[in-house]
Amino acid sequence: MFRIAFAAFAGALVLAGCGSTSSADDPYGLLEPGTIRAATQTSQPPFAYGDPTGKPVGFIIDVTDEAAKRLGLKVDYKSTSVTSSLAGLTSHQYDLAAAGLGVTDERQKSVSFTKPLFWSTTAVLTTANSAAAKLTDFAGRKVGAVTGSTQEPFVPAKMPGALPIGFPNANAAVSQLLNGALDAFVVGGPDAEQFLKQYPALRRAASAPVEHPTSMAVPKDHGALLTALDQQIGAMVADGTYARLYRKYFTTAPLPQLVAAWPALGAQFAGGL
């Protein structure tokens, strides 16, 4: 009787072990061992946008792919909005939000951010026939921003009297701006550069500095993944890979705030781009 009971107990342990994943197999606590499930965007150039086939490309995508490669991991990208990507981290739909995300105090309450990947500016885009030239020129005018973005609160805070309008993504806002249904669109500086290249009918009416870096985010309980990503980003800065990817997408040298976060960039960009 004892032997039968022991055999049954041992069998149960074997079955239980077959259905579990050890920490050695999944040291980063990923939803799917070996694969980073990443939320991204397809209308945030140059950080994350879709190529002609819809495949995610961009600076953050390249950084993520390189870091994952060095960690021996794959990346499964899912395109969604800023709001949904952050909510998806807290509800454990995603392991990573791989897009250009502003690091704010409010966001840090629910997610954790990697070390800085960029330091941006805020730009106000209008059409070429608009006479607006400063932030105070938009009273009574419709000003768009992507819902959930750090530019969304910028409109009521920095553009007195403007009429804020939220959009699910940047492409939708730019479309409304071009057809005259919107007076201005507030977006990150590098994003603005891309839209200005793509649409000659647009111009930059005003710009302002930002007080926070741009990074990626992970769930609060993904500390091991966060540490690993930061280590790989640091290694990419040290060996020049980060600088190479930066030059691929940006036309101005890193701002002093970013160099302060990664001192090695000072020498790498001493002569500009």
Side-chain angles (χ1 to χ4, degrees):
M1 180 67 71
F2 175 77
R3 291 178 180 176
I4 295 174
F6 179 79
F9 175 71
L13 287 178
V14 170
L15 290 174
C18 291
S20 63
T21 301
S22 70
S23 59
D25 295 331
D26 182 26
Y28 308 114
L30 301 174
L31 294 168
E32 178 185 347
T35 299
I36 299 174
R37 192 176 300 172
T40 190
Q41 298 178 52
T42 53
S43 63
Q44 194 198 20
F47 296 103
Y49 57 101
D51 70 5
T53 69
K55 177 185 176 182
V57 294
F59 175 67
I60 295 292
I61 303 301
D62 282 2
V63 170
T64 301
D65 287 344
E66 179 65 22
K69 177 183 175 182
R70 295 181 181 208
L71 292 171
L73 301 172
K74 300 177 182 178
V75 186
D76 179 17
Y77 292 103
K78 305 292 184 184
S79 178
T80 185
S81 66
V82 173
T83 301
S84 295
S85 65
L86 292 172
L89 292 180
T90 60
S91 63
H92 292 92
Q93 290 179 266
Y94 309 114
D95 299 302
L96 176 71
L101 298 173
V103 181
T104 66
D105 291 340
E106 187 62 29
R107 287 177 173 176
Q108 286 180 304
K109 294 177 183 178
S110 56
V111 300
S112 298
F113 287 93
T114 64
K115 292 181 180 180
L117 290 172
F118 192 81
W119 207 289
S120 189
T121 58
T122 297
V124 180
L125 296 181
T126 61
T127 55
N129 58 8
S130 170
K134 53 186 183 299
L135 297 178
T136 54
D137 288 343
F138 295 91
R141 300 188 184 185
K142 298 176 181 178
V143 179
V146 173
T147 301
S149 69
T150 55
Q151 290 80 36
E152 187 177 29
F154 180 93
V155 179
K158 303 292 185 180
M159 303 175 73
L163 306 177
I165 300 178
F167 289 88
N169 56 63
N171 287 341
V174 169
S175 176
Q176 292 295 294
L177 181 59
L178 289 168
N179 69 26
L182 193 66
D183 296 300
F185 173 46
V186 181
V187 68
D191 311 54
E193 291 292 339
Q194 296 298 315
F195 288 122
L196 289 169
K197 290 178 183 178
Q198 188 174 358
Y199 302 106
L202 299 181
R203 72 175 184 86
R204 186 195 305 263
S207 62
V210 298
E211 300 176 352
H212 56 258
T214 296
S215 301
M216 298 186 289
V218 301
K220 281 285 189 183
D221 61 358
H222 274 39
L225 177 61
L226 181 66
T227 297
L229 289 173
D230 280 341
Q231 289 174 342
Q232 295 309 318
I233 293 167
M236 291 161 64
V237 170
D239 67 20
T241 300
Y242 175 93
R244 174 177 58 81
L245 296 178
Y246 185 102
R247 290 185 171 96
K248 177 180 175 181
Y249 291 100
F250 302 107
T251 58
T252 57
L255 291 180
Q257 297 95 322
L258 186 64
V259 176
W262 301 105
L265 295 179
Q268 293 171 1
F269 288 92
L273 288 182

